[in-house]
Amino acid sequence: MNRICIVEDEPELAALVADYVRAASYVPEVFNDGALALDAIRRAPPALVVLDLMLPGLDGLALCRALRAFSQVPVIMVTARVEEIDRLLGLDAGADDYLCKPFSPRELVARIKAILRRAAMSNHAPAPALLVDTDARRALVHGQALALTPSEFEVLAALARRPGQVFTRAHLLDLLRQGDLEVTERAIDSHVKNLRRKIDAAAPGLEPIRSIYGLGYRLDL
Ligand code: CA
C-alpha cells in the first residue's frame, strides 16, 4: 500500500484530501506542521508528498528543499495563489508538480496517480550505462564515477548535451576555450582518447563516443 504524506495546516482541507486519497486505495498520513512532517518522511519515506506552501514554522519551500537533500520522493506542491507557481518554478523549489487552491480533490488524486505511474516506470528502466551530471561535474559509468580532468569532463559534457549530434573538433574547441587557454584540435583528440580509455576501463566494451570521419565526434547513448 502506497503511503501518501499530506502536509496541510487547514484541518478541513487535510481531512478532505485524506478521504479522497484513501478512496483511491492509498494510505494518507496527515501532518499540520512542516518540521514534524520532515522528521517523519526522513524516518519512513512515503510514496509521495502533498505539500502546502504556507505552513506555520517550516514552510513548504524550506521543507521541499530540506527533503531534496536526502530524498527524491515525488512532491506535489499546493499553493494559494497561481502566481506563486511561477515564482516557485523560478526558485527551482524541487517539486514534481504544482496545484493551486482551491483545487478539486479528484484532480489531485489524478495527479498523484500520474506521478506514481511515472515513478514506477522509471524504477523499472535500467540505469543508464553513462550518466553525465553537469551540476555535480561528474560522469558515472554504471553508477561509478570516472576520474576525469576538467577538460575531459568538458568534452564529455558538451557531447552529452546533445547525444546523437555530431560535434566538430572546432565546435568542441569553442565550447572548451575559456579565457586564453591554449587548446588545439589535436588536444580534443587526446581528451577523447583519454575519455574512451577511462570509460572502457570502467565498463569494458562500452564505446559511447563515436568518431565521425572527416567531421568530429558524437555521443551515442
Ligand atoms: Ca496553509
Side-chain angles (χ1 to χ4, degrees):
M1 282 283 237
N2 277 330
R3 285 184 302 116
I4 308 288
C5 176
I6 300 161
V7 193
E8 171 60 70
D9 60 320
E10 292 170 45
E12 286 173 12
L13 180 57
L16 178 68
V17 168
D19 282 347
Y20 272 81
V21 161
R22 201 176 293 114
S25 301
Y26 301 117
V27 178
E29 284 179 346
V30 175
F31 296 90
N32 57 14
D33 176 286
L36 283 180
L38 184 62
D39 204 37
I41 293 165
R42 201 191 300 269
R43 277 187 281 109
L48 184 145
V49 180
V50 178
L51 181 57
D52 185 29
L53 178 65
M54 297 297 285
L55 293 165
L58 189 65
D59 72 11
L61 180 59
L63 199 163
C64 197
R65 287 188 164 156
L67 194 65
R68 282 292 172 256
F70 64 88
S71 171
Q72 286 305 311
V73 61
V75 173
I76 299 180
M77 186 92 86
V78 177
T79 73
R81 288 184 304 143
V82 71
E83 310 90 82
E84 279 293 325
I85 295 178
D86 275 343
R87 190 176 73 90
L88 291 168
L89 287 172
L91 288 172
D92 204 6
D96 297 81
D97 201 355
Y98 296 88
L99 204 55
C100 191
K101 286 180 183 176
F103 57 85
S104 108
R106 247 178 249 280
E107 169 70 15
L108 174 63
V109 167
R111 296 211 193 178
I112 291 173
K113 284 183 178 167
I115 290 178
L116 291 181
R117 205 161 40 227
R118 219 155 59 208
M121 272 163 60
S122 66
N123 283 347
H124 292 146
L130 173 66
L131 184 71
V132 180
D133 182 348
T134 47
D135 289 333
R137 292 191 61 79
R138 57 182 196 156
L140 305 171
V141 169
H142 295 305
Q144 176 191 343
L146 296 176
L148 302 180
T149 66
S151 298
E152 287 163 10
F153 179 81
E154 287 302 332
V155 170
L156 187 59
L159 292 170
R161 242 165 258 148
R162 293 179 188 276
Q165 178 183 308
V166 178
F167 287 78
T168 63
R169 289 178 180 79
H171 189 180
L172 288 171
L173 211 49
D174 277 349
L175 294 171
L176 219 68
R177 207 175 262 145
Q178 279 155 355
D180 286 331
L181 203 67
E182 200 56 46
V183 195
T184 63
E185 294 200 2
R186 188 169 289 179
I188 297 287
D189 293 337
S190 132
H191 294 323
V192 168
K193 194 172 141 209
N194 290 333
L195 279 167
R196 283 179 170 150
R197 180 172 50 76
K198 290 177 182 181
I199 291 170
D200 188 66
L206 184 65
E207 294 172 9
I209 304 177
R210 305 271 164 205
S211 301
I212 308 302
Y213 184 75
L215 282 174
Y217 296 103
R218 184 182 79 200
L219 187 69
D220 287 343
L221 288 178

